[in-house]
Amino acid sequence: MVIYIKAFVLPPLLFVSSYARNKHIDLGFDNADDSSLGVNVDVSPEAILKFIDGKNKQKKSKKKSMKHELIFSNPFPIPRKQENPEEEAPLDPPVIGVSNPKPDFETENRGAWIIHSQNAGVAAMHIQLMPNNKAIWFDTINLRPSAIQNNPPFCKLVSDRPGEIDCWSHGVQYDVESGQATTSKIMTDTWCSEVGLSSTGDLVSTGGYQEGIYSIRLMNPCDNCDFQENANGLAAMR
């Protein structure tokens, strides 16, 4: 192919070169070294053949590069925004009766829930594990009787029900090892209160409802302790 290109291209170029050298003034060239191929261009047969060979090599290199791009595509293509992206197909539903050979994760902890006590006596609106391994929990005092009475016996007047007294416990200490529950006396209503542990391990309860709305309650991590209550400990409602 290269031989045929040389045969057809070489004679016209030699003719143009020879004509330009003889007529350089008429064609607008300012000196005899200029030619129609450009200023100071070598128009010898050897230079022309070299020029043609270079063009052919560039074509072959370009074809090879295009072939390489088709075989080895760009590993990091730039994603293009699709006008109408297709929605991803939903995952196949699990097959009933077929278990996976391996779980999603493995653990050595095989714990399970057990009933530790059938009835601790008081519902747990708040519950806090203390440093002495006792769980303190308590509930509002305005929901009438609980499942356990204060021990030792203690009764108080119900603030929103004149003439009615409440001898029921609304707080307990629960021993998580033995399952024993002992009652804890609460004087102010803890409904909507907050609770947490201090840096010294004391339970701190703040706020509440009705007579307990300004209250601060403290309990030390000790056996058979009751709440120490200050009904007006807060400067404003919690």
Side-chain angles (χ1 to χ4, degrees):
M1 186 67 180
V2 176
I3 298 175
Y4 289 113
I5 292 175
K6 291 179 180 179
F8 284 98
V9 175
L10 184 57
L13 289 177
L14 292 175
F15 173 77
V16 172
S17 175
S18 176
Y19 182 80
R21 284 185 177 275
N22 295 328
K23 297 293 184 178
H24 61 277
I25 299 299
D26 296 337
L27 296 177
F29 304 127
D30 55 0
N31 59 63
D33 293 331
D34 295 337
S35 68
S36 59
L37 296 178
V39 180
N40 297 325
V41 175
D42 188 0
V43 294
S44 63
E46 293 80 4
I48 294 175
L49 291 176
K50 186 176 181 181
F51 174 78
I52 295 174
D53 290 338
K55 288 292 185 180
N56 292 332
K57 290 180 180 179
Q58 289 179 1
K59 291 181 180 179
K60 290 182 179 180
S61 177
K62 185 176 181 180
K63 290 181 179 180
K64 185 176 180 180
S65 176
M66 293 176 63
K67 183 178 180 181
H68 182 274
E69 291 178 358
L70 292 175
I71 297 175
F72 305 100
S73 59
N74 184 6
F76 304 104
I78 299 176
R80 297 182 179 179
K81 185 177 180 181
Q82 299 180 358
E83 295 181 356
N84 297 316
E86 297 182 359
E87 296 182 358
E88 296 183 0
L91 299 176
D92 295 334
V95 180
I96 301 176
V98 179
S99 60
N100 295 327
K102 189 175 182 180
D104 293 337
F105 63 92
E106 295 182 354
T107 177
E108 297 298 328
N109 184 6
R110 304 297 181 184
W113 290 102
I114 62 172
I115 297 177
H116 198 251
S117 175
Q118 292 291 338
N119 187 359
V122 176
M125 180 183 68
H126 286 305
I127 185 169
Q128 177 66 57
L129 181 63
M130 304 291 285
N132 61 349
N133 214 24
K134 299 288 182 67
I136 306 297
W137 69 64
F138 50 93
D139 195 10
T140 179
I141 65 174
N142 64 352
L143 296 182
R144 299 185 184 274
S146 64
I148 186 173
Q149 287 188 327
N150 284 312
N151 185 22
F154 170 78
C155 298
K156 66 182 290 291
L157 294 175
V158 180
S159 60
D160 58 345
R161 295 189 292 272
E164 185 175 340
I165 61 173
D166 182 8
C167 302
W168 300 92
S169 177
H170 300 284
V172 295
Q173 289 193 50
Y174 184 83
D175 192 324
V176 298
E177 295 179 355
S178 65
Q180 296 295 322
T182 58
T183 62
S184 295
K185 183 174 61 177
I186 300 177
M187 297 294 293
T188 57
D189 196 353
T190 63
W191 182 253
C192 293
S193 61
E194 292 182 331
V195 65
L197 282 182
S198 69
S199 60
T200 58
D202 295 337
L203 184 147
V204 180
S205 173
T206 60
Y209 183 64
Q210 293 182 347
E211 77 277 3
I213 202 166
Y214 293 96
S215 297
I216 295 178
R217 307 168 195 87
L218 301 177
M219 178 176 282
N220 298 322
C222 58
D223 296 337
N224 302 321
C225 288
D226 285 323
F227 281 97
Q228 303 172 23
E229 299 182 73
N230 184 347
N232 297 303
L234 298 179
M237 295 185 295
R238 183 198 64 79

